[in-house]
Amino acid sequence: MSTTALGAAEPSRWTARLHAVPDPAREVMVIGWHAAFANTPAAGTPLAVFPNVELGPDHLAVMALVRIEHATAIDTITPEGTRETRWGPDPFGIAKTGISWRLVPAHRDAESRWVIAPGWWAAGGEEAVLSNSVTAHALGAPTVVPVYDQDPHTGKRWAS
């Protein structure tokens, strides 16, 4: 096990260590990742699975790293009367802009593909410290990302 610049132990390969206040840290398995444009990807979206991922006997919750390039559709009418759409930052400054990263629940679908889990997930107040193996395969990923594992309707968290 290697250490980070701050001297803390790095999580195991293909995992992320979650940190919440005041709970102790726990690990999840990061199975793969997905890059989305404009909005959060829908449940059932296939994932790019990391190479040589093996689920261990420790039954960690399985999650996926998601990169979202936020953009807003901006419609304009040309002098000829046709509508043109371009994507860019929200002209009113209301919507999120830039790029964000998060961990979301993942599971196998009926065809045994790894996909984003069903349901609508919200930030649960935890952050994950990603292992070097995850950030090396998801280029541009930060070391720490928020975890979207809480069902906003029931308050329950993703377990597996």
Side-chain angles (χ1 to χ4, degrees):
M1 185 177 278
S2 63
T3 58
T4 64
L6 298 175
E10 181 185 305
S12 304
R13 181 172 171 83
W14 305 128
T15 62
R17 186 164 293 128
L18 307 184
H19 291 276
V21 178
D23 297 332
R26 61 185 171 94
E27 281 190 350
V28 297
M29 172 65 68
V30 183
I31 199 74
W33 78 299
H34 179 77
F37 178 74
N39 296 308
T40 304
T45 300
L47 302 168
V49 178
F50 293 131
N52 305 316
V53 174
E54 295 179 21
L55 297 179
D58 43 9
H59 303 291
L60 299 176
V62 179
M63 304 199 81
L65 182 62
V66 173
R67 175 192 186 272
I68 304 167
E69 183 178 348
H70 300 279
T72 301
I74 303 167
D75 292 329
T76 56
I77 304 298
T78 67
E80 294 79 31
T82 59
R83 184 175 78 177
E84 290 183 350
T85 301
R86 68 176 174 83
W87 291 89
D90 179 8
F92 303 108
I94 299 169
K96 198 170 196 174
T97 60
I99 294 173
S100 67
W101 293 83
R102 62 183 67 166
L103 280 183
V104 298
H107 78 136
R108 286 191 187 271
D109 66 4
E111 299 164 13
S112 290
R113 298 176 306 167
W114 284 102
V115 298
I116 294 175
W120 187 80
W121 301 98
E126 289 184 312
E127 291 185 326
V129 179
L130 301 174
S131 63
N132 287 337
S133 56
V134 172
T135 57
H137 276 80
L139 297 178
T143 304
V144 178
V145 296
V147 179
Y148 280 62
D149 68 342
Q150 187 165 12
D151 182 325
H153 305 291
T154 65
K156 293 185 178 179
R157 299 190 98 112
W158 176 254
S160 66

